[in-house]
Amino acid sequence: MNVGKVRRWRLGAAFVLLTYVVLHFLDHALGLVSLAAMEAGRWWFLRLWRSPVGTVALYGALSVHGGLALWLLYQRRTLRMPAWEATQYGLGLAIPALLATHVVGTRIAWWRLGADDPYARVVLGFWVLTPDRGVWQTVALAVVWLHACIGLHYWLRFRPRYPRVRFPLFGAALLLPVLALLGFVSAGREVANLARTPGWTHALLTATHAPRPDQSHALAAITAHFLDAYLLLLIGVVLARGVRSLRERRRAIHVAYASGRSVTVPMGYTILDASRVAGIPHASVCGGRGRCSTCRVQITEGLDALPPPTPAERRVLPRVGAAPDVRLACQTRPTRDLAVTLLMPGSVDPGRGGAPDMRQGREREVAVLFADLRGFTRWAEHKLPYDVVFVLNRYFAAVGTAITEAGGLTNQFTGDGVMALFGIDSGPAAGGRQALAAARAMVDGLRTLSEELAGELAVPLRIGIGIHAGPAVVGWMGWGESFSLTAVGDTVHVAARLEQATKDYGAELVVSEDVARLAGLDLSRFSAHELAVRNRAGRVRVRVLPHAAELPIARP
């Protein structure tokens, strides 16, 4: 079975289950209004999920998601994994055991015994009759929600727009279960008051056809049989892994690393599995799912004997401009001995997942922005060092936010200057538009900062920005742990020169005509100049903008 297809099926099932949980929590939250409001919401909820289509969708998703999770657990060659992945696995495996009693007591009791389960009876049981089960159910729902949120976060974090919506989503993820819990508490108090009315509890249990003692014992037996079967299934997966491991150890392969270490693993392990078994730090931001390129390696020996790239590799590697001898370690299962070189540090940020090869570098058409504060050095001479650091950090936060929100990457902070790259993935046209938008936002942010620090500044902060676009070699460069994604080449050199030219022209922004052309902007109303750049043949045609606020907005 194709692992990529399995994960897609499991992801689709997960979204069905997430929809169910979200609607369930929203229904709980209606308890803040009244018990009657909860019952009204439950009517619509059951119309969806207890219909034939809803039933097939819900229990089909449960079966697919849970079954494929166990299959993937069997497929793993090693149980060494990042802490977040281990946490999600552990929570997911606990969910069936935590929810078994509740599911049997509601859905199965309704299906087999005709027992209704309105919120009044459910809350009565959890809040009044057996409050210990209410605590257990609250823990179960928290585990379900945490499991879902971890999975959703690690699925979304490679999406370009996720950083912009991450905090609103986090707020929603925190608020929804809190509202559901408060709704449950409010409904519990209302039911507790009703239960003090003589005869109310008996009338409710009778009207809803609550299970009799003998029926409750039968439901408990169903729960016990399910838990026994689930435990046997888990034990079966563990035993199957052990049998497979014994069989595969008869056919071992050797993986040699550029560091000098060599690992012997059974055939069928991926290169990432081999690294984890040996305890070799090996980046894998997506957890070995083929969604990023951080685990990629260069095959220095044995490339010809490797199986063809998987669909995930064919999708990911071209996007990062990988060379023919580069493979994804999480997808490559060698059948013969080979030697590899890791191309990313052992621990990387998610943002590096789509970056060009660190040690090879790749030529990209990008837009480069340089910015520098004007007169800051003279101001800093008369200030305490801690005061200078405070203002610089506020400045870097303002310009860094402007760059990031425009879609760029802050590359270097040196002194009171900053370098940023745009269009690494989207190309120079989009990169040019992003860089110009960042320039406007940087000036706006600096103006706001100057107003906030008016008591500390003799004059408002001023900035000079230069932007150029063209080819540059982009890659992860540095030494030891000090690696950063940067760019080198003539384009970078020219952009730095344009920033310096803002001093000569007394302007906030100097933009090359290449940037204006790529961005589709008409800057003909601004003064044009031809700028000489040291060690470069020919001159660069530029447009000089005294104020970045005068820059027209480029259309996407």
Side-chain angles (χ1 to χ4, degrees):
M1 189 182 299
N2 182 274
V3 175
K5 185 177 293 186
V6 168
R7 294 192 187 280
R8 287 192 294 273
W9 274 94
R10 186 164 175 257
L11 181 64
F15 277 115
V16 174
L17 298 177
L18 180 61
T19 302
Y20 178 88
V21 173
V22 168
L23 293 177
H24 203 35
F25 278 15
L26 289 173
D27 205 357
H28 279 42
L30 289 175
L32 288 169
V33 180
S34 67
L35 183 63
M38 289 181 75
E39 296 291 5
R42 173 183 173 275
W43 187 85
W44 290 103
F45 183 80
L46 295 185
R47 287 272 293 182
L48 172 62
W49 296 110
R50 286 190 179 173
S51 67
V53 174
T55 298
V56 171
L58 177 60
Y59 289 94
L62 279 169
S63 301
V64 169
H65 191 70
L68 293 182
L70 292 175
W71 187 85
L72 289 172
L73 181 62
Y74 166 76
Q75 285 293 108
R76 295 187 72 99
R77 263 33 187 201
T78 173
L79 295 181
R80 293 191 180 188
M81 62 186 80
W84 69 265
E85 192 175 4
T87 300
Q88 191 191 25
Y89 254 110
L91 294 174
L93 292 175
I95 287 172
L98 290 172
L99 291 180
T101 300
H102 179 63
V103 173
V104 171
T106 53
R107 183 66 180 244
I108 302 300
W110 169 80
W111 174 49
R112 295 289 299 273
L113 306 176
D116 292 330
D117 53 342
Y119 270 113
R121 184 171 76 81
V122 174
V123 174
L124 176 69
F126 285 153
W127 192 267
V128 179
L129 303 180
T130 54
D132 55 325
R133 284 185 55 195
V135 174
W136 186 257
Q137 183 67 12
T138 301
V139 172
L141 292 180
V143 168
V144 169
W145 190 245
L146 186 57
H147 171 76
C149 288
I150 292 175
L152 189 63
H153 167 71
Y154 281 95
W155 177 70
L156 285 174
R157 62 179 178 160
F158 298 111
R159 271 54 180 181
R161 296 183 180 180
Y162 182 51
R164 302 182 184 181
V165 299
R166 180 176 55 189
F167 290 110
L169 285 177
F170 175 78
L174 186 62
L175 185 62
L176 184 56
V178 170
L179 291 176
L181 179 60
L182 291 176
F184 170 66
V185 171
S186 179
R189 291 175 175 174
E190 186 175 347
V191 167
N193 289 330
L194 292 172
R196 296 189 184 98
T197 303
W200 183 86
T201 299
H202 177 73
L204 174 66
L205 296 179
T206 302
T208 57
H209 310 289
R212 300 186 305 273
D214 59 320
Q215 294 175 326
S216 295
H217 288 308
L219 293 175
I222 293 175
T223 303
H225 292 328
F226 170 79
L227 293 177
D228 290 343
Y230 183 59
L231 180 59
L232 289 175
L233 191 58
L234 289 177
I235 293 174
V237 172
V238 173
L239 291 177
R241 286 176 53 85
V243 171
R244 183 195 59 200
S245 179
L246 290 174
R247 186 177 67 250
E248 289 178 339
R249 287 188 183 280
R250 300 174 183 174
R251 299 181 297 167
I253 60 170
H254 303 279
V255 181
Y257 293 80
S259 62
R261 294 192 60 179
S262 180
V263 181
T264 301
V265 293
M267 186 182 300
Y269 276 43
T270 66
I271 299 173
L272 180 61
D273 290 334
S275 299
R276 287 175 171 174
V277 167
I280 295 174
H282 197 147
S284 179
V285 172
C286 72
R289 289 171 165 80
R291 299 177 187 166
C292 72
S293 67
T294 53
C295 72
R296 62 188 182 269
V297 295
Q298 182 180 18
I299 310 298
T300 54
E301 293 181 23
L303 178 65
D304 295 340
L306 287 177
T310 65
E313 290 183 275
R314 293 196 297 268
R315 182 178 63 253
V316 171
L317 291 177
R319 294 184 60 185
V320 298
D325 59 351
V326 172
R327 298 290 296 269
L328 290 185
C330 68
Q331 301 294 307
T332 305
R333 301 181 186 274
T335 56
R336 297 183 184 178
D337 297 350
L338 77 163
V340 301
T341 298
L342 304 186
L343 295 177
M344 294 291 281
S347 178
V348 297
D349 295 328
R352 299 187 182 184
D357 283 347
M358 175 184 68
R359 296 176 183 173
Q360 299 178 30
R362 285 292 177 267
E363 187 172 79
R364 292 281 191 272
E365 292 280 338
V366 295
V368 183
L369 178 150
F370 275 86
D372 187 70
L373 276 177
R374 296 290 176 252
F376 187 77
T377 303
R378 289 192 299 275
W379 174 85
E381 289 175 353
H382 307 290
K383 295 293 182 180
L384 294 173
Y386 285 110
D387 294 343
V388 174
V389 170
F390 172 77
V391 174
L392 273 179
N393 282 334
R394 294 293 303 277
Y395 158 69
F396 287 142
V399 299
T401 300
I403 291 166
T404 302
E405 290 184 349
L409 174 70
T410 52
N411 176 250
Q412 296 176 12
F413 288 109
T414 55
D416 54 6
V418 62
M419 170 184 169
L421 304 177
F422 299 84
I424 294 176
D425 295 321
S426 55
R433 292 190 292 270
Q434 292 170 349
L436 293 170
R440 282 192 299 270
M442 290 165 68
V443 172
D444 290 341
L446 205 62
R447 183 183 305 109
T448 301
L449 180 60
S450 294
E451 294 172 356
E452 294 176 359
L453 302 177
E456 293 289 325
L457 304 172
V459 294
L461 295 172
R462 295 181 299 109
I463 195 171
I465 305 172
I467 305 175
H468 184 52
V473 176
V474 181
W476 290 92
M477 304 178 195
W479 182 83
E481 294 297 322
S482 300
F483 276 97
S484 62
L485 182 62
T486 189
V488 295
D490 180 68
T491 299
V492 179
H493 181 49
V494 171
R497 175 68 182 91
L498 299 192
E499 178 270 312
Q500 295 170 2
T502 60
K503 301 177 183 177
D504 303 329
Y505 298 122
E508 283 184 342
L509 181 61
V510 175
V511 181
S512 70
E513 291 195 346
D514 289 338
V515 171
R517 174 180 52 81
L518 290 168
L521 281 184
D522 180 11
L523 301 182
S524 58
R525 64 189 180 93
F526 299 103
S527 60
H529 299 267
E530 290 190 352
L531 196 65
V533 179
R534 183 182 302 177
N535 298 325
R536 185 181 192 272
R539 292 174 173 266
V540 180
R541 289 187 58 83
V542 300
R543 294 287 175 171
V544 177
L545 286 73
H547 304 287
E550 300 174 341
L551 192 65
I553 298 176
R555 295 182 179 178

